[in-house]
Amino acid sequence: MTATQTEQTEPTPENDAAEPAVFGRLVAIDPLDFDPDGGTEKLVIVDPYNHRKKREEGDTTEPDAALIASVEEVGVQQAIILRPQEGERDGQLGIVIGQRRTLAAYRVASAAAQEGREYRKIPAIIRDDLRGVDDEALTVSMVENLHRRQASAQDDVDAAEQLALLVKAKKVPKARKRSLAAAIGRTEEELDAAHKVAQMDPETLEDLREEEIEFDWVELGDYDEVKDVSNAQVTLMRAKAKDEQEGNDKRGAWKTAMQELRAKKARAEQIETLKAELAEKKVNTVHWVWNWSYGTARPLEELVSKIGMPMSEQGHSETCEGHAATIDPDAAEVVWLCVDWKKYGHRVAGAAQGDASDGEPGEEEDAKAEAVREERRRVKVNNLAWRTARAGREAYIADMCKDKGEAPADIRDLIMRTLLVSDGHYVHYIGSQEHGAMLAKFLGDERLTRHPKDVISSLIKKTASKRYWWTLFAHVAGYFEAEHMRDDAWRGEPHYHHGPSVRGRIRPATAEWISFLERHGYGVTEVEAETVATAKQEVEAEAERKAEQERQREEREAARAAWKAANPEPEEEDADEGDDDEENYRYDDMEEAPAEEPEDADAETEGETDGGPDETEGHEGESAEDGQKDDEQQ
C-alpha cells in the first residue's frame, strides 16, 4: 500500500498568513489500495463523514457507465480530497471528496489487473488539517456536493459539437476519435450527431431532462426531427425500451419507429399541401368520415348517375351543385364526393333503378358495399405501409452490407441456399435492371444502376476476400427485395387463373426474408409482423389439412383391410380351373360389396383431386374451391 508524494506545499516566512495546510499534499494513489467496504487492510477508505452515503435506493455513490468509460480512457482528471484517519484506522486515508471517481478508478484497475494491463493512478490531495476535525470534513463534503451546479444539456452539447468539429478538422484517426468519445461517455456515432443536437431548442432539451427521458445524442437528433408528430415521444421511448430489452445494439426497433414517424410527418405535410390547393381552387371541402353509409354524403366511386353511369370528378363538378372533396388522412389523398347524393338524383352503385328506396341500397347491399369499401381501404393503407417499410428495410440492409468483418454463418447459409437452389424466378432475375438498382443501393456504387455487368469485375478486384460474403449478401438481398417484397406481397400470391384480385397463400420466401432480417436486428413494422404471422397460420393450416387427408386415407385402408378379413377368398380347388373360377368368384362377390364395404372406400382418389396436393401444389396460392370453380367454368 503506497501513496507516491509528488508535491508538497510548505510555509515560508514571507507568507506566514497563507495557511498553507489548506492546500495539502498532492500524491498519486493506486486505485487498488482503495477498499470500498471500509476494511482495515488497505490504505484508502471512504471517510465516515463523507456527505455521500451508500443506500439501497437512490444510491449516489455508485459510478455510472459514462464515468467508468471516461476513467478507462483518460483516468481521473480532478484530484480527490483525503484526510488522515484516527483511532483503529490510524494510518489510513479517508475520502472526503471524490468517492465516485475513486470507485470508478477501482473498477477499471481491477479489470485491467485481471487482464494483465496497465492502469492509471489517482491524483489526490491529503488534507492533514482535517485530521480529527469531523465537522469541518463533513462541511467540505457537503459544499462539494450541494454547491456543484450541473452543466445544462445545452452546455454539454455545445462542447461536444466543438469537439466533433475539432476531430473532423484535424482528421483524427478512428481509434483516437473513439477514445475521445469514450472519455466523455459517448460513442463515435453520438459525436457525429452532436451538431444536430446543438441546433435543438434548449427548452426541448431541458424538458426531456426534467422528465428524465434519457435519449443519447443520436436519438435526440432523431427526436428533434419528428417531435411535432403526435405520440412521437411515446413511440420512440417504447422502441428504445424494446431494443434494450432484446439487447439490439443496432437500434432495429428505433430505426423502424423513426421510419414510420417520418412517413407520418410526410403524410401530415402532404395533407396540409392538399388543403391549401383545394382552398386555392375554392373547392368545397368536408370532414373525413370513416363510414359513409350513415350520412347524406358519399364518395363518387360508390355512386352512379340516374341511368347507372359511373361518376367522374370532372363530370360531377360540372353538373352537380353537391360536388365536394375530403382528404383521406391515412392515404393523404383527395376523395371526391357528393354532399347529398339523394337530393341531386344519384344512386348508390348496385341499387336497383326506380325502387322504393330512391336509389338507396337495402341492408344487404349496404353491408356488401361497406365490406368492399373496407377491403379497398385496407389494401390501400397496407400497400402504403408496405412501401413505407421498404425504405427503412433497404436502409438497414445497406448498413449490414457495410460490415467489414466476416459474415455470420446463417448469412453464408442463406447465400448458398439461394444461389444453389436455382428456380425460374432467380434465373430471370440475374442481370436485370432492378437487380443493378438494388446492388447499387446496398453496396453504395451508383455505376451498378447503369452497367451492372461491366462493374462486377472491378467490384471483385477491389473487394477484400473477407468481404466477399457481404457482396454476395447484397446480391441475394436484392433478389429477395425485388422478387418477394413487392407492394402487394403482404396480400399473398395472385391467383393463377383469376388474376391479382384473387389472392392465394403468402409466399414462404416473403415471410422467410422478414424473419431473417428480424433475427439480425431489424425492427419489423406492424404490417410485416402481420404478414409473417399470416404465413405461419397458412403453413399450419396446410399441415393440418394434409394430416387430415392422411388420417382419412389410413381409415379407408383399415376399413378395406377389415372388409377383406371378413370376406376371405376361397382356396384354389383345381389348378386348371384356377384363374377363371377365381375371377368369376371375385366378380360375383364384389357385386354385393357396396352393401358391406365402408361408404368412403372409393373416396381416396377423390380426395387427391378435390383440394389435394396434386392440385394445389401446381399453382401456389390456388385453393381447392378456386380449382373447383375453374372446372365448372370449363
Side-chain angles (χ1 to χ4, degrees):
M1 296 187 295
T2 60
T4 305
Q5 184 169 329
T6 58
E7 181 180 343
Q8 183 172 354
T9 304
E10 297 183 354
T12 61
E14 294 81 5
N15 193 22
D16 290 337
E19 298 187 45
V22 173
F23 297 99
R25 296 176 285 128
L26 181 62
V27 299
I29 299 294
D30 188 328
L32 297 182
D33 285 342
F34 170 61
D35 185 352
D37 299 322
T40 58
E41 300 298 323
K42 294 189 177 181
L43 176 63
V44 181
I45 61 171
V46 178
D47 192 274
Y49 289 90
N50 189 297
H51 178 223
R52 289 187 186 271
K53 303 294 182 185
K54 284 191 175 183
R55 307 178 191 279
E56 292 184 1
E57 295 183 2
D59 186 4
T60 62
T61 67
E62 191 69 20
D64 56 25
L67 178 57
I68 294 175
S70 177
V71 171
E72 174 77 44
E73 291 297 329
V74 298
V76 175
Q77 295 295 299
Q78 183 178 3
I80 63 174
I81 304 295
L82 307 174
R83 71 164 181 155
Q85 301 294 288
E86 292 186 317
E88 63 178 7
R89 299 189 182 279
D90 189 27
Q92 289 184 299
L93 299 171
I95 301 175
V96 178
I97 296 174
Q99 181 181 174
R100 291 177 68 250
R101 279 168 280 162
T102 305
L103 185 54
Y106 172 79
R107 298 269 176 83
V108 170
S110 297
Q114 290 180 357
E115 298 172 5
R117 295 185 288 107
E118 295 183 355
Y119 56 87
R120 296 178 178 87
K121 291 187 176 182
I122 307 170
I125 296 175
I126 300 177
R127 291 281 300 272
D128 294 302
D129 61 308
L130 295 179
R131 181 186 180 99
V133 189
D134 297 336
D135 56 348
E136 188 171 346
L138 178 58
T139 301
V140 170
S141 179
M142 290 185 68
V143 168
E144 164 71 10
N145 292 316
L146 296 178
H147 291 266
R148 176 195 294 149
R149 182 172 181 179
Q150 189 175 26
S152 69
Q154 193 67 47
D155 291 335
D156 292 342
V157 174
D158 287 344
E161 184 185 21
Q162 289 179 314
L163 178 60
L165 292 173
L166 287 172
V167 167
K168 185 176 181 180
K170 294 182 178 180
K171 297 182 179 179
V172 174
K174 287 188 176 181
R176 175 62 177 162
K177 180 180 179 181
R178 190 180 305 115
S179 176
L180 290 172
I184 60 173
R186 302 290 176 175
T187 63
E188 295 175 78
E189 191 181 16
E190 288 184 85
L191 201 59
D192 291 336
H195 70 283
K196 292 183 180 179
V197 186
Q199 298 170 5
M200 289 181 65
D201 183 2
E203 285 76 14
T204 301
L205 287 171
E206 291 302 330
D207 288 345
L208 291 173
R209 173 174 285 193
E210 289 176 4
E211 294 175 19
E212 297 183 352
I213 297 175
E214 297 182 356
F215 287 161
D216 63 31
W217 288 346
V218 174
E219 295 162 351
L220 282 173
D222 285 345
Y223 171 69
D224 190 51
E225 180 183 346
V226 296
K227 64 183 179 183
D228 295 329
V229 179
S230 62
N231 295 324
Q233 188 179 111
V234 174
T235 300
L236 292 176
M237 288 175 64
R238 288 175 179 171
K240 181 180 176 70
K242 183 179 180 182
D243 282 337
E244 290 175 348
Q245 183 179 7
E246 297 176 354
N248 189 342
D249 58 357
K250 296 182 179 179
R251 305 178 192 264
W254 179 277
K255 291 178 179 178
T256 296
M258 277 299 301
Q259 187 66 31
E260 292 176 340
L261 288 170
R262 289 187 181 107
K264 194 173 181 180
K265 180 180 179 180
R267 286 197 299 273
E269 293 173 349
Q270 174 67 9
I271 288 172
E272 292 303 315
T273 299
L274 292 174
K275 287 181 178 178
E277 292 176 353
L278 292 172
E280 184 179 356
K281 295 177 181 178
K282 298 182 180 180
V283 175
N284 182 27
T285 57
V286 298
H287 291 294
W288 171 259
V289 177
W290 293 102
N291 190 336
W292 300 98
S293 303
Y294 303 111
T296 60
R298 284 262 181 150
L300 296 185
E301 61 186 12
E302 298 182 17
L303 299 175
V304 293
S305 65
K306 290 182 179 180
I307 60 174
M309 297 297 293
M311 309 191 71
S312 67
E313 180 269 326
Q314 182 177 355
H316 188 259
S317 65
E318 294 173 352
T319 59
C320 183
E321 296 179 5
H323 185 68
T326 188
I327 298 176
D328 184 336
D330 286 338
E333 62 182 24
V334 174
V335 175
W336 300 100
L337 49 83
C338 182
V339 295
D340 196 334
W341 60 274
K342 288 183 182 180
K343 176 181 178 181
Y344 295 108
H346 309 317
R347 292 191 297 113
V348 174
Q353 184 174 4
D355 62 7
S357 61
D358 295 329
E360 184 174 1
E363 293 184 3
E364 184 177 352
E365 289 81 2
D366 208 20
K368 290 181 180 179
E370 176 61 23
V372 171
R373 183 190 305 118
E374 182 60 30
E375 177 60 17
R376 186 188 301 121
R377 177 173 180 76
R378 188 180 76 91
V379 170
K380 185 184 297 183
V381 170
N382 279 5
N383 280 347
L384 178 62
W386 193 259
R387 288 192 293 271
T388 299
R390 177 181 293 121
R393 191 175 61 249
E394 290 180 353
Y396 193 86
I397 295 169
D399 286 341
M400 289 179 67
C401 293
K402 294 176 184 176
D403 196 316
K404 299 188 182 303
E406 269 309 327
D410 63 335
I411 284 184
R412 298 198 295 269
D413 292 344
L414 174 76
I415 293 169
M416 296 301 287
R417 284 199 313 271
T418 308
L419 294 181
L420 294 180
V421 183
S422 176
D423 60 20
H425 288 298
Y426 184 71
V427 172
H428 171 74
Y429 174 76
I430 291 180
S432 68
Q433 184 176 2
E434 193 170 8
H435 174 222
M438 287 293 179
L439 274 178
K441 183 177 295 184
F442 296 154
L443 296 179
D445 193 333
E446 289 299 322
R447 296 178 301 165
L448 288 165
T449 60
R450 299 182 297 275
H451 310 290
K453 294 182 180 179
D454 298 338
V455 178
I456 292 296
S457 57
S458 63
L459 187 66
I460 293 174
K461 290 180 181 179
K462 73 176 185 179
T463 302
S465 59
K466 69 178 181 180
R467 288 266 304 144
Y468 280 178
W469 285 110
W470 289 111
T471 304
L472 288 172
F473 174 70
H475 175 77
V476 169
Y479 159 63
F480 275 100
E481 287 291 316
E483 292 295 320
H484 302 300
M485 302 298 288
R486 299 179 185 274
D487 284 357
D488 59 351
W490 62 272
R491 298 176 62 193
E493 282 286 333
H495 195 279
Y496 184 77
H497 294 294
H498 302 303
S501 61
V502 180
R503 316 298 289 197
R505 293 192 297 269
I506 292 171
R507 287 184 178 183
T510 299
E512 175 193 357
W513 181 235
I514 296 172
S515 300
F516 178 85
L517 292 176
E518 184 179 19
R519 291 196 300 273
H520 282 268
Y522 169 66
V524 297
T525 63
E526 183 177 355
V527 69
E528 290 170 327
E530 289 179 357
T531 301
V532 173
T534 301
K536 183 179 179 180
Q537 292 171 1
E538 291 173 348
V539 170
E540 292 173 352
E542 178 66 13
E544 290 177 1
R545 186 186 69 81
K546 290 184 176 180
E548 178 63 18
Q549 279 189 338
E550 180 63 19
R551 185 189 65 78
Q552 293 178 1
R553 187 189 66 78
E554 291 175 355
E555 287 181 354
R556 291 194 296 270
E557 291 292 337
R560 186 177 287 109
W563 182 86
K564 288 183 178 180
N567 298 273
E569 297 180 0
E571 296 181 359
E572 295 184 2
E573 296 181 0
D574 193 302
D576 294 333
E577 298 176 357
D579 294 341
D580 292 339
D581 291 343
E582 181 179 354
E583 197 161 320
N584 291 333
Y585 171 81
R586 288 179 180 173
Y587 180 81
D588 294 339
D589 190 65
M590 289 300 289
E591 286 183 338
E592 299 178 0
E596 299 182 25
E597 192 172 2
E599 294 181 0
D600 61 348
D602 295 326
E604 183 173 4
T605 56
E606 183 182 341
E608 293 176 357
T609 57
D610 187 10
D614 292 344
E615 182 182 24
T616 57
E617 290 178 3
H619 308 299
E620 186 177 356
E622 182 177 351
S623 65
E625 183 179 353
D626 294 329
Q628 187 174 355
K629 291 180 181 178
D630 294 339
D631 294 340
E632 291 173 357
Q633 291 175 354
Q634 292 174 359

